[in-house]
Amino acid sequence: MAHYSIGEAARLTGLSVSTLRYYDREGMFPNIERSHGGNRVFSDREIDTLKIIECLKISGMSINEIKEFLQWCQEGDASLQKRQEMFYKRLAEMEKQMEALQDTINKLKFKCWYYDTAVSAGTEEVVKNLPDEEIPKEFRKYKL
């Protein structure tokens, strides 16, 4: 198993050294080794843990919720169902956010088309008065 200094772990994960120290102070690496000089020594296990922490943060989980998940991991098989439910909940939340983002993207695309058409015509009046059937089908429901 490979071992990494805190700087190497930071480079591998794209996180700052201060973030890694913060996570350690928060107890997210209960079994992290220390060198003879007292420095943290990250293994592949901690690197994998960092990757899942970042995934869960991006999914909207708080540090306290992530800490709870990591505690469940320490419990072993006794917490399998809780962990499974947590990941399905996160997935549902992310899918809901993706739908909202896709709706926003589609509205922005409509507005790009709208202003492309107006600029090309030299006036916004051309677009404002277009009947729905002359608006590209993919944009009709986003007409504001």
Side-chain angles (χ1 to χ4, degrees):
M1 181 177 281
H3 291 89
Y4 310 97
S5 69
I6 195 166
E8 292 168 330
R11 280 189 294 283
L12 281 171
T13 61
L15 299 171
S16 69
V17 168
S18 62
T19 296
L20 298 181
R21 287 186 181 124
Y22 169 71
Y23 288 166
D24 186 33
R25 282 192 310 274
E26 288 295 312
M28 295 180 158
F29 308 115
N31 302 316
I32 196 164
E33 293 180 31
R34 297 272 179 168
S35 70
H36 294 297
N39 295 321
R40 295 166 185 91
V41 178
F42 289 79
S43 69
D44 291 329
R45 182 179 63 237
E46 281 84 28
I47 299 300
D48 290 344
T49 298
L50 286 165
K51 289 175 183 175
I52 198 67
I53 289 169
E54 287 307 296
C55 172
L56 294 174
K57 271 182 50 185
I58 291 168
S59 80
M61 284 181 71
S62 70
I63 293 296
N64 285 335
E65 290 170 320
I66 295 169
K67 285 169 55 176
E68 181 177 38
F69 163 73
L70 294 173
Q71 180 59 45
W72 292 343
C73 292
Q74 296 292 312
E75 294 172 8
D77 290 348
S79 66
L80 279 174
Q81 189 169 359
K82 286 192 277 191
R83 290 182 273 159
Q84 177 192 38
E85 290 169 2
M86 184 211 71
F87 275 99
Y88 274 102
K89 181 180 176 185
R90 295 309 327 137
L91 178 60
E93 275 297 311
M94 292 302 298
E95 287 173 338
K96 185 177 172 184
Q97 289 177 23
M98 288 287 291
E99 288 174 17
L101 285 171
Q102 189 60 57
D103 188 62
T104 300
I105 287 169
N106 291 338
K107 288 174 184 168
L108 292 170
K109 284 181 178 180
F110 166 75
K111 284 302 198 179
C112 287
W113 169 84
Y114 179 96
Y115 287 107
D116 287 347
T117 304
V119 167
S120 180
T123 179
E124 192 173 359
E125 293 304 314
V126 169
V127 189
K128 278 185 180 179
N129 299 320
L130 273 180
D132 283 352
E133 59 272 3
E134 290 187 37
I135 296 172
K137 189 175 181 177
E138 69 267 22
F139 298 136
R140 289 178 191 159
K141 76 177 191 174
Y142 299 104
K143 182 179 175 186
L144 304 175

